[in-house]
Amino acid sequence: MAKIGIYSLLTGRPGPSGYGSATTAEQVSQGVDATALTAIVTGGASGIGLETARVLALRGAHVVIAARNLNAANEARQAILKDVGDDARVDVLKLDLSSLNSVREFAEKFDALGIPLNILINNAGVMFCPFQLSADGIETQFATNHLGHFYLTNLLLDKMKQTARATGIEGRIVNLSSILHRNSYEEGIRFDKINDELSYHDKKAYGQSKLANILHANELSRRLQEEGANITVNSVHPGLIMTNLMRHSLLYSRIMHLLTWLLWKNVPQGAATTCYAALHPSLKGVTGKYFIDCNEYPASQQARDLTLAKKLWDFSTKLVDNSS
């Protein structure tokens, strides 16, 4: 298991996988033939989501960009076609992860396309938002970053299982988390205080949602292994990248960027670990792991807590059922 130190981050020195912080998404997917694969990328209209979608299309995959802003998503599609070529297979579907109704509608529309599903990349998210509730009455960062993806994944899981059985090709689910999962509330997930505005802390709430991403991946991985399904589930930290995700904390982010600029990645580097987890042949059969800079890395103790993961699964299921 890789140890990611400051020296490695600064120099881009490759880890055991042969890749490091300076590796780009194109480099990590070089030589991969994805023409038989169909992938959904949430938040694929901008930032590292767009770069992920572009590189998947570049390698031949049929990519479905799932995005809240259809205009931006269609512009992203045109940009990919211009870069990759008009024969690239890229579709766009509306998805607002803060609304469980929108998630359900997306899954229904995707199912109606009648296409397979090999790869699900749960990339979209919000960061450091002021306190607000989603359309379903759930704190927005938890609702968008975790619960929307939890529900989406569950709705698409049968399609992924069917595809894996019919094709014999391993399905892969990638949850984008963050190293800031270590900066959650003391108890990790505040099951009894998810919507408590008085004690809300924007950065700890973000950390909580990113911790939830890893716990979700680990519990789903365990369940799929138990079932014998040919699907892996892993979580990744993309790195520090200045994207639209920072829009609620521009001043804070710019100060942090000024103080730690040597540690920040560009967008092609930021999408590398996602594409590594989604495409690289060396990860066949690897599941329930956490990756930084395209190398396996230990997540926090809370993120590896099996009891906490099971409790979060049950809690999330109850939230979805109550909202439905």
Side-chain angles (χ1 to χ4, degrees), residues 66-218:
R68 184 175 54 183
N69 185 331
L70 283 182
N71 288 334
N74 280 307
E75 287 176 7
R77 178 180 180 274
Q78 291 303 317
I80 292 172
L81 293 177
K82 183 177 180 181
D83 181 81
V84 175
D86 290 337
D87 57 341
R89 296 173 295 162
V90 184
D91 289 312
V92 168
L93 286 177
K94 184 176 178 61
L95 172 64
D96 181 354
L97 285 158
S98 69
S99 164
L100 295 178
N101 186 55
S102 176
V103 173
R104 187 164 50 249
E105 288 177 352
F106 171 88
E108 290 170 353
K109 288 177 180 176
F110 178 81
D111 191 55
L113 294 176
I115 59 177
L117 180 59
N118 306 91
I119 300 169
L120 172 61
I121 298 179
N122 291 321
N123 164 83
V126 292
M127 185 178 189
F128 300 164
C129 303
F131 181 84
Q132 54 187 328
L133 298 178
S134 71
D136 303 290
I138 301 160
E139 188 275 309
T140 298
Q141 293 195 81
F142 188 83
T144 305
N145 297 350
H146 165 65
L147 194 65
H149 281 126
F150 173 84
Y151 188 36
L152 176 68
T153 304
N154 281 354
L155 291 175
L156 296 172
L157 208 49
D158 281 344
K159 172 68 76 173
M160 292 197 73
K161 291 176 185 177
Q162 291 166 12
T163 301
R165 283 195 299 266
T167 63
I169 300 172
E170 176 183 86
R172 295 191 182 186
I173 299 171
V174 183
N175 279 4
L176 267 76
S177 180
S178 168
I179 201 166
L180 292 178
H181 78 273
R182 296 175 176 274
N183 187 44
S184 181
Y185 297 101
E186 184 178 353
E187 60 270 49
I189 308 293
R190 303 201 309 169
F191 298 104
D192 299 324
K193 295 182 178 179
I194 285 294
N195 292 341
D196 185 8
E197 184 175 2
L198 288 177
S199 58
Y200 177 78
H201 187 286
D202 59 353
K203 294 171 184 61
K204 289 187 181 298
Y206 178 74
Q208 173 180 246
S209 71
K210 295 290 102 180
L211 173 61
N213 291 148
I214 301 177
L215 292 169
H216 169 222
N218 291 350

Side-chain angles (χ1 to χ4, degrees), residues 15-33:
S17 69
Y19 305 112
S21 62
T23 303
T24 67
E26 282 199 28
Q27 289 170 335
V28 83
S29 62
Q30 188 70 43
V32 173
D33 180 2

